[in-house]
Amino acid sequence: MERRLFLGGLATVAVRAQAAPGPHQLPKLPCAVDALEPFIDAKTMEIHHGKHHQAYVDNLNKALAGQPALAKMPLDTLLAQLDKAPEGIRTALRNHGGGHANHSLFWNSLGKGSPVAKGALAKAIEASFGSQKALEEKLRAGGAGVFGSGWVWLVLDRAGKLAVETSPNQDSPLMTGKRPVVGIDVWEHAYYLKYQNRRPDYLAAILQVLHWDSISQRYEELSRG
Ligand code: MN
């Protein structure tokens, strides 16, 4: 008993020393890692979420250590006001804070659900792009055109209109005053295990597993806010 208590005490110390202190946490995936098969394979989901996204969270928390005011700030606000952050940690916040925000949105846009947008989003897509098919074509072309690593986005711009845009690295539309509705990760780590260099095949696949029910709901929340 004593020994167990003693080991327990050591274990607590070890855990504290390892875990990056900080307010941000890896969110759970909204679906099982194999839920998107055969479009997105389980191994990619596992590594992408458990290793890549976890690293963004850990490095964001490291950058925020010793910055109590910034550590308390909601991530969206932090990213929208990067210019106010201390210069020494600005790049880390941009890369890892962006990475955490982008992936959190990404997971919550995926799943097997309605293949088309609903309600207010369906109407807005028709008004801005003509049809859902035309929007998907823009996302596909945008994603294929990103040089190197980055994202293709459906955003609400400052005027509240829908637009498709791309960003390099882990930059988020939040950094330029826009609100992301959907983001598609086009980093190689998002597809290389299954699709190797064939990013267009990955883009065609990911468009099959965008969860338009949750995306439509997010749009309504963003439009209200
Ligand atoms: Mn990624």
Side-chain angles (χ1 to χ4, degrees):
M1 198 60 188
E2 267 171 304
R3 188 158 179 257
R4 274 184 65 189
L5 282 174
F6 177 63
L7 283 177
L10 276 184
T12 307
V13 170
V15 166
R16 282 211 192 112
Q18 267 172 19
H24 296 283
Q25 287 190 346
L26 183 70
K28 283 205 170 84
L29 283 176
C31 56
V33 289
D34 62 356
L36 307 178
E37 293 267 11
F39 303 102
I40 306 298
D41 60 293
K43 193 80 193 159
T44 295
M45 287 293 284
E46 216 178 290
I47 296 173
H48 197 176
H49 175 257
K51 303 291 183 195
H52 291 278
H53 189 171
Q54 181 71 64
Y56 295 121
V57 172
D58 291 346
N59 288 320
L60 171 62
N61 285 335
K62 267 181 213 156
L64 287 171
Q67 301 283 343
L70 293 179
K72 262 189 275 175
M73 208 179 262
L75 185 54
D76 285 15
T77 313
L78 184 71
L79 297 178
Q81 306 178 357
L82 271 183
D83 54 323
K84 292 186 190 155
E87 214 180 328
I89 59 168
R90 206 175 291 157
T91 301
L93 295 182
R94 179 177 187 165
N95 291 341
H96 304 295
H100 179 30
N102 296 346
H103 287 84
S104 299
L105 180 78
F106 185 53
W107 309 130
N108 283 312
S109 305
L110 300 179
K112 288 177 181 167
S114 170
V116 289
K118 295 176 159 180
L121 179 58
K123 284 186 198 130
I125 288 173
E126 210 180 298
S128 295
F129 305 104
S131 67
Q132 170 125 5
K133 221 178 147 61
L135 163 63
E136 287 177 2
E137 195 37 55
K138 277 200 164 222
L139 289 169
R140 196 196 315 262
V146 172
F147 181 73
S149 299
W151 292 74
V152 58
W153 302 96
L154 174 64
V155 300
L156 264 179
D157 67 16
R158 286 162 180 271
K161 275 203 70 178
L162 287 176
V164 169
E165 63 176 43
T166 63
S167 70
N169 305 314
Q170 292 297 351
D171 284 3
S172 158
L174 293 165
M175 295 170 189
T176 48
K178 290 160 226 154
R179 288 161 294 168
V181 182
V182 187
I184 298 176
D185 190 345
V186 297
W187 283 56
E188 284 185 345
H189 68 225
Y191 61 86
Y192 210 83
L193 288 181
K194 185 176 169 84
Y195 296 99
Q196 292 83 49
N197 60 318
R198 304 187 305 279
R199 190 192 286 176
D201 292 357
Y202 157 72
L203 284 165
I206 201 93
L207 288 169
Q208 300 293 311
V209 290
L210 288 185
H211 196 270
W212 287 100
D213 310 79
S214 18
I215 297 165
S216 302
Q217 200 186 329
R218 180 178 312 127
Y219 174 79
E220 298 207 2
E221 283 158 19
L222 289 173
S223 315
R224 274 200 301 272

